[in-house]
Amino acid sequence: MQINGKAYRTIWFENNSVKIIDQTKLPHQFIIKDLKTVKDSINAIKTMEVRGAPLIGATAAYGLVLSIIEKNDLSHLKKSSEELIASRPTAINLKWAVDRMMKKLSGVNDNDILRIALEEVKAIVEEDVSFCKNIGLNGLKIIKDLADKKKDTVNILTHCNAGWLATIDWGTATSPIYHAHQKGIKVHVWVDETRPRNQGANLTSYELNEEGISNTIITDNAGGILMQRGQVDMCIVGTDRTLSNGDVCNKIGTYLKALSAKDNNVPFYVALPSSTIDWNIKDLKQIPIEERNSEELSHVEGVDENNEIKKVRIYPQKSKSLNLAFDVTPAKLVTGLITEKGVCEASEKGLKGLFK
Ligand code: MRU
């Protein structure tokens, strides 16, 4: 998608290093950063210079390429794979991508390993782009139906950033929105701010602005009243891990949006590529929920009058806080799952119908 009128992807490989857009600096500064070692990749995932389930999966896969470049040795590769998997716990794409790479590289000789690793990362990345594009085309039909019925702008609420910045291109939740906009359907997006890291305000609003899509930032708590007032036609969110029964784990606060949507008969869709499906875990309580540093709650970041990024504390120093990064929305609150293969019911039957 576009930044300043120029098409970008979120990650690419150039001159033996991995290029990323540093998302901790957006929307204030646009900085392309080089990852040269596997440690750089782990650090980029941990500090959320890259974030979003599909993108951290791709970054981990590229991390293995960097690991081979720095030391073409099996025990180093294994250690790198373990450290990459441990860098963030909730999004299943991370383990999925590393496992896929390691399977492909198993038994490959030293002369071929780098070439094969690069080919496999390319396959992962291109697959994600095509899956996200298809999610968009499948979700477009839902938006078009709403627009045809309403004969007016369709108001869509989204939470966090499940946009192109969270993937390689297109995004998951945003892909149907981008496709609708490109087809001339009038859409307006309510963007949840998404405390504490403000991925909605900082990233979703930014990328929608760059694509010329009308959007309004709201506090995380405003969705309920907007739904009661009939100002939300549908919700679309992403997911970091989708259980085979249709439960979806996503950024903290998603569950509360789904409850509000249910109470107000607002359709609540979750957009996902099949790489976020966890076919093994059966119970939502078994999903590892990331708990992040409490400083993300006690401090806020913004720019001063000189456009310099500043961080300030907003809590009493003595106060304790708990920073859970994800929650789980039970399948019964989800109207449908928008996948690369079509839209299905949020249930084992629905998912297995599409992904045998
Ligand atoms: O903590 P983050 O910013 O990595 O969380 C991102 C989300 O929760 C997204 O909604 C999710 O990864 C889906 S991305 C297409």
Side-chain angles (χ1 to χ4, degrees):
M1 309 300 290
Q2 313 258 335
I3 293 178
N4 259 332
K6 187 174 169 208
Y8 282 93
R9 283 185 174 184
T10 51
I11 193 163
W12 64 97
F13 191 72
E14 209 178 286
N15 299 331
N16 270 4
S17 71
V18 177
K19 306 270 182 192
I20 57 160
I21 300 167
D22 181 352
Q23 300 195 19
T24 60
K25 300 288 185 296
L26 290 175
H28 310 298
Q29 297 170 358
F30 179 77
I31 294 171
I32 293 174
K33 207 172 162 176
D34 277 353
L35 309 180
K36 292 183 188 299
T37 63
V38 66
K39 281 226 157 29
D40 289 348
S41 310
I42 293 166
N43 188 50
I45 296 170
K46 279 191 176 163
T47 59
M48 295 176 66
E49 287 168 351
V50 288
R51 26 69 51 204
L55 179 56
I56 58 181
T59 309
Y62 273 121
L64 292 176
V65 168
L66 295 174
S67 166
I68 296 167
I69 293 174
E70 68 196 36
K71 193 172 174 196
N72 191 347
D73 164 87
L74 189 60
S75 67
H76 181 59
L77 189 64
K78 275 199 177 136
K79 190 168 168 278
S80 301
S81 73
E82 283 156 17
E83 287 176 3
L84 282 161
I85 288 176
S87 58
R88 282 193 80 188
T90 302
I92 188 78
N93 301 61
L94 187 50
K95 183 171 171 355
W96 168 86
V98 171
D99 287 351
R100 174 166 162 174
M101 291 289 289
M102 292 303 280
K103 195 169 164 202
K104 191 77 188 181
L105 299 177
S106 136
V108 171
N109 68 51
D110 288 356
N111 293 335
D112 293 330
I113 196 160
L114 180 59
R115 177 182 54 81
I116 292 180
L118 278 167
E119 281 169 11
E120 194 59 11
V121 183
K122 193 164 187 295
I124 288 174
V125 161
E126 293 306 327
E127 191 180 280
D128 191 66
V129 175
S130 100
F131 283 3
C132 286
K133 187 169 180 195
N134 285 333
I135 287 168
L137 294 170
N138 293 327
L140 165 65
K141 293 176 200 139
I142 301 169
I143 300 179
K144 189 174 179 313
D145 284 353
L146 282 170
D148 289 346
K149 255 190 237 148
K150 197 178 171 193
K151 301 203 177 352
D152 201 352
T153 303
V154 179
N155 288 300
I156 302 169
L157 183 142
T158 193
H159 189 69
C160 192
N161 173 262
W164 75 271
L165 289 167
T167 64
I168 312 298
D169 211 348
W170 291 106
T172 58
T174 55
S175 187
I177 298 169
Y178 288 133
H179 279 88
H181 179 71
Q182 288 178 4
K183 285 267 175 298
I185 298 170
K186 279 201 215 141
V187 283
H188 164 261
V189 186
W190 295 113
V191 177
D192 283 349
E193 189 180 27
T194 323
R195 281 275 295 152
R197 290 191 66 104
N198 297 321
Q199 291 96 326
N202 289 343
L203 305 174
T204 305
S205 182
Y206 170 76
E207 60 164 268
L208 293 172
N209 290 344
E210 294 293 314
E211 288 292 323
I213 296 182
S214 160
N215 69 91
T216 308
I217 298 169
I218 51 173
T219 65
D220 291 344
N221 299 324
I225 190 163
L226 291 175
M227 292 189 215
Q228 277 176 333
R229 288 177 171 180
Q231 289 174 277
V232 181
D233 297 304
M234 72 185 295
C235 302
I236 318 181
V237 299
T239 162
D240 288 80
R241 199 184 279 241
T242 311
L243 301 195
S244 57
N245 66 3
D247 291 349
V248 284
C249 180
N250 192 47
K251 181 54 54 193
I252 194 88
T254 303
Y255 176 37
L256 292 178
K257 295 297 127 58
L259 284 169
S260 258
K262 186 77 169 179
D263 195 42
N264 292 285
N265 290 320
V266 173
F268 188 91
Y269 286 93
V270 180
L272 61 125
S274 50
S275 52
T276 66
I277 304 173
D278 182 338
W279 295 103
N280 297 316
I281 287 187
K282 299 284 173 218
D283 181 352
L284 62 87
K285 293 199 183 77
Q286 289 169 354
I287 301 175
I289 300 291
E290 179 176 13
E291 191 180 325
R292 295 186 62 86
N293 194 321
S294 60
E295 197 183 297
E296 289 182 353
L297 288 186
S298 60
H299 289 66
V300 285
E301 234 175 56
V303 282
D304 65 12
E305 59 283 1
N306 301 319
N307 219 31
E308 270 179 36
I309 298 179
K310 288 270 155 68
K311 194 186 236 188
V312 294
R313 183 170 54 77
I314 52 170
Y315 287 172
Q317 239 156 349
K318 277 188 180 165
S319 299
K320 280 193 284 181
S321 51
L322 171 67
N323 185 11
L324 297 175
F326 296 93
D327 61 24
V328 189
T329 301
K332 65 180 178 196
L333 300 178
V334 178
T335 309
L337 301 175
I338 308 173
T339 78
E340 74 268 17
K341 289 212 174 167
V343 180
C344 72
E345 187 185 274
S347 67
E348 181 137 13
K349 190 168 159 244
L351 280 170
K352 285 205 169 146
L354 292 179
F355 304 98
K356 295 204 177 63

